[in-house]
Amino acid sequence: MNKHEVHGGVRYVGGKVEKAVGDAVDSRNWQVDGVVDQVAGAAENLFGRAQSVAGDIADATPGLIDDARERLGDAADRSAAAARDAGRATADAAQHGARVARDSVRGNEGLVFAAAAAVVGYALGWLIHGRRG
């Protein structure tokens, strides 16, 4: 939980209290101010939650990328071994394909960052729109 989540939550609760007092004393200004504080507090709380989720994703991404690279390399090596058993010509082609696949994954850092940005965008969209209804 970060400072935006806490501050937003406190502001939201303060707005609820302010609106309730405005309702009790029939003060339009207090009611409006209370609703404004509720909306602003909820928005700041949501912003803080999005920051927390983005941080969690950023922390998890390097490990996931390394794991994916290792699995792809292992799969490519297994494919090459299976092809080698089937025949020499097929094995040479499979080894070449495995090297190309492994090298393209290792050398394409932009693709990895694009995938991470897509995950972050999806998570933020889910946070903003996924809790309706």
Side-chain angles (χ1 to χ4, degrees), residues 56-75:
D56 292 344
I57 290 171
D59 291 343
T61 301
L64 294 174
I65 292 168
D66 291 340
D67 187 44
R69 282 184 183 162
E70 183 177 328
R71 288 177 187 230
L72 283 171
D74 292 345

Side-chain angles (χ1 to χ4, degrees), residues 26-123:
D26 198 30
S27 171
R28 184 92 169 137
N29 288 339
W30 279 55
Q31 291 171 337
V32 171
D33 289 345
V35 170
V36 168
D37 283 342
Q38 285 179 33
V39 171
E44 186 173 2
N45 181 273
L46 182 61
F47 174 73
R49 285 181 30 217
Q51 277 185 328
S52 294
V53 168
D56 292 344
I57 290 171
D59 291 343
T61 301
L64 294 174
I65 292 168
D66 291 340
D67 187 44
R69 282 184 183 162
E70 183 177 328
R71 288 177 187 230
L72 283 171
D74 292 345
D77 291 341
R78 284 193 308 269
S79 296
R84 195 172 23 252
D85 292 342
R88 192 69 182 150
T90 305
D92 289 341
Q95 285 177 344
H96 176 70
R99 278 193 301 274
V100 169
R102 197 174 329 123
D103 292 343
S104 67
V105 169
R106 287 186 180 147
N108 197 350
E109 303 301 329
L111 178 63
V112 171
F113 289 114
V119 168
V120 169
Y122 178 81

